[in-house]
């Protein structure tokens, strides 16, 4: 960061006219105030971050809130330390207010509450990007800075009023020309002198509802628009916040994604998820290109993705015959109507493997209701969960399925593929078969993704049972602790405090407070599984119809920014 005694300007000799104190003295004073405020802000944020890190971690929601605050403070500190004075992008002066408004990558106020920088995404900053000579949006002038190694190496002024020429030695060529025209501009001239920068800004600030398609050739600034729009939407639209799904930015390859992940923090956002399509599926890391164009074409259609639904339904068959479940205490009859009732227990849309766990729970509840009551329900439940005949019958009717196994069966069992995709010709079915059914290629990824979404995690039920067992064990341990505390408190039961303490210790809320379920082992969440509140797709012309299904599945609201070049599309840029 520049010290208060060092000029923010480092203009070369050829720009000596721009170093005139009459032009930059006001900026120098303002940058000195920014430097002082930055130094103070960094010190205060550092102290708050240290305090948060040293504070007790807490449990449950308190622990989550502490982690979120540490992340927020760390991100803010990182940006302030990374940019220093070059947080400032430029300044604007209103036609009715001579006081300049300085626009920054982030907003900044001093200790007295004076606004030193307005965030570039705020409504107050909109004229800085949107003003044109055709539509000045209430501005008298605009100044843009070029920063080199933390100091200003050049700057440009634009004026939007006929009397703006006097005293502005740093006008750009267009502004000088406009100023010389005075008040004689015709409507036609005003149209001609509109700028592309304003068009880009209008796209950046467009609403997030529905899909916005940005179609343009190389060099038109599509990627710049996509990056700035991502940061702007997160700032301006509370519906897209991280707690409501956040934003996913999808790029064509890893180098591009790394670039995006580096640039977005400089625009004020650190919480955007970035990925390629390969990253959305575990098999994407090793998938190879498909060498047969006919196979690639068949797998790239949205219809092929639809084949996953009948492929799963094939394994969801309600038993039509009853059975007798033998236990250590009695035999219990499980009829066909009981199976049907259990199969209706999961809500529509529940992933197949998770639904199986709900069906098992319902079957056990039915069997417990039918038992003669000679055994405790918990004891009977534990016995039924280990009943081999019951589990075998359920596995036949509703097995646990892995997504990779399901999709590989399509490429190795022709009759199965014909049943799931009846529109395919016999030749097409044969063409899609392969010797190594799990030698994944890129066109397989959308089908694997659809299968994983429809099936859910095959290990989920096992993890749930382990988690439930851990919770039960923790509850038993806490119950013993509470018993010890009650025993100790009974010695004081003769006074009001002792009686109240025993009452509190026996309370269910106290038992729940002692149990920290968040500390128990759970599966790491798939941060790219969604759902996301908004998705930005760059180089969208490369996506196939099947690949679009991967993204639509992750954004149920249909809120998209789609950036691409229709003229460069190899597979067609879908019109729908």
């Amino acid at each position: 960061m520049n010290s208060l005694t060092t000029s923010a300007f480092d203009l070369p000799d050829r720009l000596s006219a721009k170093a005139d104190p009459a032009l930059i003295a006001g900026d120098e004073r303002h940058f000195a105030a920014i430097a002082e405020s930055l130094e103070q802000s960094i010190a205060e944020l550092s102290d708050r971050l240290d305090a948060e890190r040293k504070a007790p971690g807490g449990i449950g929601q308190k622990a989550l809130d502490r982690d979120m605050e540490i992340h927020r403070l760390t991100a803010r500190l990182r940006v302030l330390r990374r940019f220093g004075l070059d947080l400032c992008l430029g300044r604007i002066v209103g036609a009715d207010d001579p006081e300049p408004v300085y626009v920054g990558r982030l907003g900044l106020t001093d200790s007295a509450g004076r606004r030193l920088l307005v965030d570039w995404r705020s409504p107050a900053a909109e004229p800085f990007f949107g003003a044109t000579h055709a539509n000045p949006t209430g501005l008298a002038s605009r100044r843009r800075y070029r920063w080199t190694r933390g100091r200003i190496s050049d700057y440009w002024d634009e004026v939007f009023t006929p009397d703006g020429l006097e005293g502005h030695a740093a006008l750009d060529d267009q502004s000088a020309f406009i100023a010389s025209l005075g008040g004689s501009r015709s409507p036609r001239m005003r149209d001609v002198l509109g700028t592309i920068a304003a068009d880009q800004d209008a796209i950046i600030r467009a609403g997030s509802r529905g899909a916005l398609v940005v179609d343009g050739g190389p060099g038109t600034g599509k990627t710049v628009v996509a990056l700035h729009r991502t940061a702007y939407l997160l700032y301006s639209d509370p519906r897209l916040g991280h707690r409501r799904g956040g934003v996913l930015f999808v790029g064509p390859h890893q180098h591009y994604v790394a670039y995006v992940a580096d640039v977005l923090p400089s625009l004020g956002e650190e919480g955007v998820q970035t990925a390629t399509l390969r990253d959305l599926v575990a098999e994407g890391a090793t998938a190879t290109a498909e060498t047969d164009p006919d196979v690639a074409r068949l797998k790239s259609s949205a219809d092929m993705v639809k084949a996953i639904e009948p492929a799963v339904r094939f394994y969801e068959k309600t038993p039509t015959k009853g059975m007798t479940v033998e236990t250590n205490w009695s035999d219990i009859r499980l009829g066909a109507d009981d199976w049907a009732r259990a199969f209706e227990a999961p809500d529509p849309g529940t992933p197949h493997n998770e639904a199986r766990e709900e069906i098992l729970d319902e079957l056990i509840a039915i069997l417990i209701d039918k038992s003669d009551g000679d055994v405790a329900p918990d004891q009977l439940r534990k016995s039924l969960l280990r009943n081999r005949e019951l589990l075998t019958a359920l596995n036949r009717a509703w097995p646990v399925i892995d997504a990779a196994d399901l999709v590989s069966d399509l490429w190795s069992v022709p009759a199965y593929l014909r049943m799931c995709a009846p529109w395919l010709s016999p030749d097409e079915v044969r063409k899609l078969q392969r010797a190594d059914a799990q030698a994944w290629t890129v066109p397989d990824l959308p089908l694997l993704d659809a299968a994983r979404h429809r099936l859910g995690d095959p290990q989920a039920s096992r993890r749930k049972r382990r988690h439930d067992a851990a919770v039960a064990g923790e509850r038993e341990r806490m119950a013993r602790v509470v018993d010890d505390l009650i025993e100790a408190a009974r010695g004081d039961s003769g006074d009001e405090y002792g009686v109240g303490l025993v009452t509190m210790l026996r309370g269910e809320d106290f038992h729940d407070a002692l149990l920290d379920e968040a500390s128990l082992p759970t599966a790491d969440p798939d941060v790219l599984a969604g759902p996301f509140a908004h998705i930005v797709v760059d180089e969208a012309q490369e996506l196939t119809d099947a690949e679009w299904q991967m993204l639509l599945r992750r954004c149920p609201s249909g809120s998209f920014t789609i950036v691409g070049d229709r003229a460069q599309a190899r597979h067609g840029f879908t019109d729908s």
Side-chain angles (χ1 to χ4, degrees):
M1 189 191 305
N2 298 307
S3 70
L4 302 185
T5 57
T6 303
S7 171
F9 291 83
D10 185 20
L11 301 169
D13 291 341
R14 61 183 176 79
L15 300 177
S16 57
K18 290 187 175 184
D20 186 342
L23 292 171
I24 65 173
D27 284 354
E28 291 278 32
R29 289 191 296 272
H30 197 80
F31 285 129
I34 290 175
E36 183 177 359
S37 181
L38 278 173
E39 190 173 340
Q40 184 176 350
S41 295
I42 288 174
E44 290 176 354
L45 285 170
S46 299
D47 290 343
R48 287 170 58 189
L49 183 58
D50 288 342
E52 285 289 343
R53 285 173 170 163
K54 292 175 182 177
I59 60 175
Q61 187 62 42
K62 288 184 178 180
L64 179 62
D65 291 342
R66 173 179 174 270
D67 289 345
M68 291 292 292
E69 180 64 6
I70 288 175
H71 175 77
R72 188 188 68 81
L73 293 172
T74 302
R76 177 81 174 186
L77 262 175
R78 188 182 298 120
V79 173
L80 295 183
R81 286 170 170 161
R82 177 179 181 180
F83 285 100
L85 285 179
D86 51 354
L87 278 171
C88 185
L89 304 172
R91 74 178 199 193
I92 50 179
V93 178
D96 300 323
D97 185 357
E99 188 67 27
V101 174
Y102 289 80
V103 177
R105 301 174 193 273
L106 296 173
L108 187 69
T109 56
D110 63 15
S111 56
R114 181 168 68 110
R115 185 175 60 180
L116 300 176
L117 292 173
V118 298
D119 193 298
W120 70 270
R121 297 163 291 189
S122 68
E126 190 168 348
F128 180 77
F129 301 96
T132 68
H133 295 287
N135 180 23
T137 64
L139 292 190
S141 67
R142 168 171 58 199
R143 174 171 290 184
R144 302 175 189 266
Y145 304 112
R146 172 181 289 167
W147 293 90
T148 304
R149 292 185 292 278
R151 299 179 71 186
I152 297 170
S153 57
D154 201 356
Y155 69 94
W156 302 269
D157 285 328
E158 295 172 271
V159 294
F160 301 99
T161 55
D163 58 351
L165 179 60
E166 185 176 354
H168 287 275
L171 293 178
D172 66 359
D173 292 341
Q174 189 181 63
S175 288
F177 174 60
I178 292 297
S180 70
L181 291 177
S184 63
R185 288 174 287 168
S186 67
R188 179 178 177 81
M189 178 63 73
R190 294 170 67 92
D191 289 340
V192 169
L193 294 170
T195 66
I196 189 65
D199 295 338
Q200 290 175 329
D201 189 65
I203 296 169
I204 289 166
R205 295 174 189 269
S208 64
R209 295 186 184 276
L212 176 70
V213 179
V214 184
D215 184 15
T220 53
K222 300 188 302 298
T223 297
V224 170
V225 166
L227 288 166
H228 284 75
R229 178 166 169 76
T230 301
Y232 172 76
L233 288 178
L234 273 172
Y235 172 87
S236 65
D237 193 337
R239 297 181 305 110
L240 308 184
H242 306 304
R243 292 182 183 270
R244 301 192 178 188
V247 174
L248 172 67
F249 196 110
V250 178
H253 48 73
Q254 284 296 339
H255 291 303
Y256 179 92
V257 167
Y259 165 74
V260 169
D262 184 58
V263 170
L264 281 173
S266 71
L267 301 176
E269 283 301 335
E270 293 242 353
V272 178
Q273 291 291 340
T274 57
T276 67
L277 283 169
R278 284 175 176 265
D279 296 331
L280 303 183
V281 185
E283 293 82 359
T286 56
T288 60
E290 176 56 64
T291 57
D292 188 326
D294 290 333
V295 171
R297 175 182 55 80
L298 290 170
K299 291 182 179 179
S300 68
S301 72
D303 284 339
M304 187 59 74
V305 177
K306 294 176 184 176
I308 294 300
E309 180 60 31
V312 176
R313 282 204 309 270
F314 177 77
Y315 293 101
E316 299 177 344
K317 296 178 180 177
T318 308
T320 57
K321 295 182 180 180
M323 64 179 291
T324 299
V325 180
E326 298 179 0
T327 74
N328 294 332
W329 304 275
S330 63
D331 295 344
I332 309 172
R333 183 65 183 171
L334 194 64
D337 55 337
D338 296 322
W339 280 105
R341 175 182 156 192
F343 272 44
E344 290 172 0
D347 291 330
T350 303
H352 171 92
N353 292 324
E354 295 170 26
R356 181 190 182 282
E357 195 68 17
E358 295 181 23
I359 291 170
L360 178 59
D361 286 341
E362 185 66 20
L363 286 171
I364 290 175
I366 291 170
L367 290 166
I368 291 174
D369 286 342
K370 286 189 167 191
S371 68
D372 54 20
D374 290 341
V375 62
D378 285 349
Q379 192 175 0
L380 181 55
R381 176 180 175 80
K382 289 179 181 178
S383 174
L384 290 171
L385 282 172
R386 296 191 298 268
N387 189 288
R388 184 170 299 177
E389 287 182 301
L390 178 63
L391 295 178
T392 299
L394 179 58
N395 285 338
R396 288 199 194 101
W398 198 292
V400 173
I401 308 173
D402 181 78
D405 292 337
L406 184 94
V407 176
S408 65
D409 283 349
L410 293 173
W411 314 146
S412 58
V413 184
Y416 185 49
L417 179 57
R418 279 196 301 271
M419 182 202 73
C420 300
W423 60 86
L424 293 175
S425 70
D427 285 343
E428 289 172 334
V429 170
R430 281 194 296 272
K431 187 174 282 289
L432 289 171
Q433 304 301 297
R434 64 188 183 206
D436 184 353
Q438 294 198 6
W440 305 117
T441 62
V442 172
D444 289 322
L445 301 183
L447 287 98
L448 288 162
D449 186 64
R452 197 155 282 128
H453 176 80
R454 176 64 175 82
L455 292 169
D457 186 353
Q459 300 299 321
S461 60
R462 186 177 302 171
R463 274 199 300 270
K464 181 179 182 298
R465 282 196 291 272
R466 281 204 303 264
H467 180 77
D468 290 347
V471 169
E474 188 71 4
R475 285 189 182 280
E476 289 181 10
R477 189 176 72 83
M478 288 302 169
R480 290 194 297 271
V481 171
V482 170
D483 288 343
D484 292 342
L485 291 172
I486 289 175
E487 190 65 30
R490 281 193 175 126
D492 301 322
S493 59
D495 58 41
E496 183 179 344
Y497 172 78
V499 173
L501 180 60
V502 170
T503 302
M504 182 194 74
L505 292 174
R506 283 177 174 161
E508 187 174 339
D509 289 343
F510 181 76
H511 286 230
D512 290 338
L514 286 176
L515 179 65
D516 179 17
E517 287 198 43
S519 67
L520 297 174
T522 56
D524 292 332
D526 181 357
V527 295
L528 297 178
F532 292 94
H534 187 82
I535 294 181
V536 180
V537 190
D538 204 355
E539 300 295 342
Q541 75 277 357
E542 300 293 332
L543 272 63
T544 67
D545 290 352
E547 289 170 338
W548 275 112
Q549 301 302 309
M550 299 171 71
L551 300 182
L552 292 168
R553 195 174 296 117
R554 284 166 171 78
C555 190
S557 67
S559 179
F560 280 84
T561 299
I562 300 166
V563 181
D565 182 1
R566 199 178 298 268
Q568 293 191 68
R570 289 184 297 175
H571 309 292
F573 197 158
T574 303
D575 290 321
S576 60

